[in-house]
Amino acid sequence: PYPGVREALAVLRRAGMKLAVVSNKPHAAAEKLAAFYFPGAFDAVIGAKDGVPVKPAPDALYEAMRLLGATAADAVYIGDSEVDIATAENAGLLCVSVTWGFREEAFLRQRGGAVFAHDGGELTALLLGRS
């Protein structure tokens, strides 16, 4: 995990937020990776499944929101790629792009990224309304 990610997830959990992973990795692999690297951090893990379109299609994201009892009005999508920006847009969600992952901020801005977090502390501040 990137520095500060586990700590950010713990802060969000303590604040009562429900958390999910939506990945294009095969479902079994996504579940195994989430359990290994982030034990107990997520309420739902959704990976690629036969017959379900992968991101940027919003289908897996809709499934995660259903499992969490969330709607687009009270959910935020966090990602590190242009596919994540498109997925959030396709689902009608705000996207917070993180700059410590797959793509750099300038690249994400060019692909429609508008809200950015540069570290875990900034991410939690954004999500908890402290920025």
Side-chain angles (χ1 to χ4, degrees):
Y2 292 102
V5 171
R6 284 187 177 126
E7 295 81 1
L9 293 172
V11 167
L12 296 172
R13 296 277 298 173
R14 283 193 303 272
M17 289 194 172
K18 294 180 183 177
L19 305 172
V21 170
V22 176
S23 176
N24 280 348
K25 289 176 180 53
H27 183 69
E31 285 186 317
K32 187 175 182 177
L33 288 166
F36 181 79
Y37 288 106
F38 307 103
F42 297 103
D43 300 292
V45 177
I46 307 292
K49 298 177 185 177
D50 289 341
V52 179
V54 295
K55 301 182 300 181
D59 303 64
L61 187 49
Y62 291 152
E63 175 65 6
M65 289 190 304
R66 184 189 68 75
L67 290 171
L68 299 180
T71 66
D74 58 14
V76 174
Y77 189 87
I78 301 161
D80 65 353
S81 75
E82 67 277 16
V83 172
D84 295 317
I85 293 167
T87 303
E89 183 177 322
N90 291 339
L93 271 77
L94 170 69
C95 183
V96 175
S97 296
V98 298
T99 59
W100 62 77
F102 186 59
R103 302 285 192 196
E104 294 182 358
E105 183 174 344
F107 179 90
L108 296 170
R109 278 193 191 282
Q110 291 172 350
R111 272 117 187 126
V115 179
F116 295 90
H118 301 94
D119 58 41
E122 191 172 357
L123 178 63
T124 58
L126 281 168
L127 296 177
L128 298 175
R130 297 182 188 145
S131 65

